[in-house]
Amino acid sequence: MKRPFVTLEQLREMTVQYPTPFHLYDEKGIRENARKLKEAFAWNPGFKEYFAVKATPNPAILKILREEGCGADCSSLTELMMSDRCGFTGPEIMFSSNDTPAEDFKLAAKLGATINLDDFTHIDFLKETIGFIPETISCRFNPGGVFTIGESTEGFQVMDNPGDSKYGFTREQIFEGFKKLKAMGAKRFGIHAFLASNTLSNDYYPTLAGILFRLAVELERETGCDICFINLSGGVGVPYKPDQPANDIAAIGEGVRRQFEEILAPAGMGDVAIYTELGRFMLAPNGCLVTKVLHFKHTYKEYVGVDACAANLMRPAMYGAYHHITVMGKEDAPCDHKYDVTGGLCENNDKFAIDRMLPEVEQGDLLVIHDTGAHGFSMGYNYNGKLRSAEVLLQEDGSTRLIRRAETPEDYFATMIFD
Ligand SMILES: *Cc1c(COP(=O)(O)O)cnc(C)c1O
């Protein structure tokens, strides 16, 4: 059973100050989770998590994670700017982008970020753009073919099978790429791969690590490049459904350690650092969307209309993703009513839940939509002129802090040209 990290009483107090809908984050949960991850990889002295900024691009969240020892994984110009403004410097920033514009590479280089190249042709493009090849450089690997592991929801929309996905160097290209980069002055090398999204399996990272560790040994032997880090990227998932088992990050860290000791250590590569770029695992369960019931509609189905919509949380509309819903104050009431929970967009897929069994819902009830802390607010948009909501932080002492104000109509009109 899924329990919200917040009580009805706390929410009632919050809604006096912050009108619904808003995204709420749990500082305590975020810190505890970050510490568990660090603990799981403590066997690797160089370990670092680079939080995927795109999952939750909020300065307060980034600063909390930085305090917990995390770096920032950026994929665009504004994410680089944000990380810089939040105090991340040089090698605390990973730049894992694809189809990269020149200005993004320029800023990444200026900030001293570690650049992770998505394609062989980007080697020359980077050289032309910034005038040199950085001494530390990383390449994204795509093994091709089919990759399956455990359960991976939404996996195909986000990642596809490696053979059909747009990311990364082929095996041949990465060997050529490393030789070329070395000849152009690179000294410290990294390998990155992201093969499946939202995996619910303690085997995803260990399996990926096995693939990358073997590749690293071959690459170092054949090219003579000094491989300093291996980046397992994102993809460790969270259980969105109440009956799904959660990943055990300690077991995952242990699984990667076993691969490390089997493959890298005997090859004399025991000093390689392990990096991760988790987004969802770090934040999803530590955020929720708080929304109020506005209307009921009884037609061919029973509809509950809330004041949030897909512009606040796109995942159900885009992926058919399940997000658990708690009717606050009725946590223990029987779920004996069937509803579609909808937002107000002129899109029939603007439904947070379809045929969901819930306790009887009343007008004015507060609903918590669970696990929206990653790829929630950040995927928001302004369709139908809907305004982006506020983001609120539930701090460790139980008090709340506004960490992003809600958009106003003035914000919405700011880029429009009326004359
Ligand atoms: C999206 C992304 C991540 C984070 O993925 P999660 O599924 O949220 O863990 C990490 N690295 C890169 C390059 C990404 O694009």
Side-chain angles (χ1 to χ4, degrees), residues 21 289-314 316-317 323 325 327 338-356 358 361 365 367 369 381 384 386:
L289 175 58
V290 180
T291 184
K292 194 190 275 177
V293 175
L294 294 181
H295 298 290
F296 284 93
K297 181 168 170 146
H298 314 277
T299 53
Y300 305 104
K301 295 185 89 175
E302 297 295 305
Y303 295 99
V304 171
V306 297
D307 59 6
C309 67
N312 305 109
L313 176 69
M314 194 188 211
H323 279 268
I325 296 177
V327 184
K338 193 193 267 188
Y339 300 109
D340 281 14
V341 180
T342 74
L345 293 188
C346 304
E347 286 282 342
N348 197 48
N349 67 4
D350 185 13
K351 294 181 179 176
F352 292 113
I354 297 172
D355 294 334
R356 183 74 56 89
L358 293 172
V361 178
D365 274 348
L367 306 189
I369 303 180
Y381 54 112
N384 267 176
K386 294 287 184 183

Side-chain angles (χ1 to χ4, degrees), residues 154-301:
E154 302 121 48
F156 288 101
Q157 287 98 328
V158 184
M159 299 304 308
D160 219 321
N161 265 315
D164 293 317
S165 101
K166 66 174 180 168
Y167 308 108
F169 290 54
T170 67
R171 193 181 156 82
E172 256 175 29
Q173 286 170 340
I174 203 164
F175 279 83
E176 285 314 301
F178 269 42
K179 285 181 204 159
K180 185 173 165 110
L181 286 162
K182 189 175 176 219
M184 291 165 93
K187 295 195 160 57
R188 290 175 296 278
F189 290 77
I191 310 173
H192 169 284
F194 192 165
L195 304 187
S197 184
N198 193 32
T199 56
L200 282 182
S201 160
N202 294 335
D203 293 332
Y204 170 62
Y205 260 6
T207 305
L208 173 64
I211 294 170
L212 294 183
F213 293 169
R214 274 181 216 104
L215 175 69
V217 173
E218 286 178 59
L219 268 169
E220 198 164 277
R221 283 205 187 123
E222 192 173 319
T223 66
C225 291
D226 183 14
I227 293 166
C228 298
F229 58 91
I230 289 174
N231 186 342
L232 301 176
S233 191
V236 177
V238 299
Y240 287 100
K241 293 182 181 162
D243 58 351
Q244 289 173 320
N247 285 320
D248 176 351
I249 197 64
I252 291 172
E254 184 56 25
V256 174
R257 188 182 66 79
R258 256 183 259 126
Q259 297 291 321
F260 193 95
E261 282 174 3
E262 248 171 60
I263 303 163
L264 284 183
M269 295 172 70
D271 57 351
V272 168
I274 303 298
Y275 295 162
T276 55
E277 294 176 340
L278 295 169
R280 192 187 314 269
F281 180 79
M282 304 303 284
L283 252 295
N286 298 310
C288 63
L289 175 58
V290 180
T291 184
K292 194 190 275 177
V293 175
L294 294 181
H295 298 290
F296 284 93
K297 181 168 170 146
H298 314 277
T299 53
Y300 305 104
K301 295 185 89 175

Side-chain angles (χ1 to χ4, degrees), residues 30 39 49 87 112 126 153 169 239 299 301 344 390 410 414:
I30 295 169
E39 185 61 37
E49 149 74 0
L126 180 66
T153 53
F169 290 54
T299 53
K301 295 185 89 175
E410 288 68 38

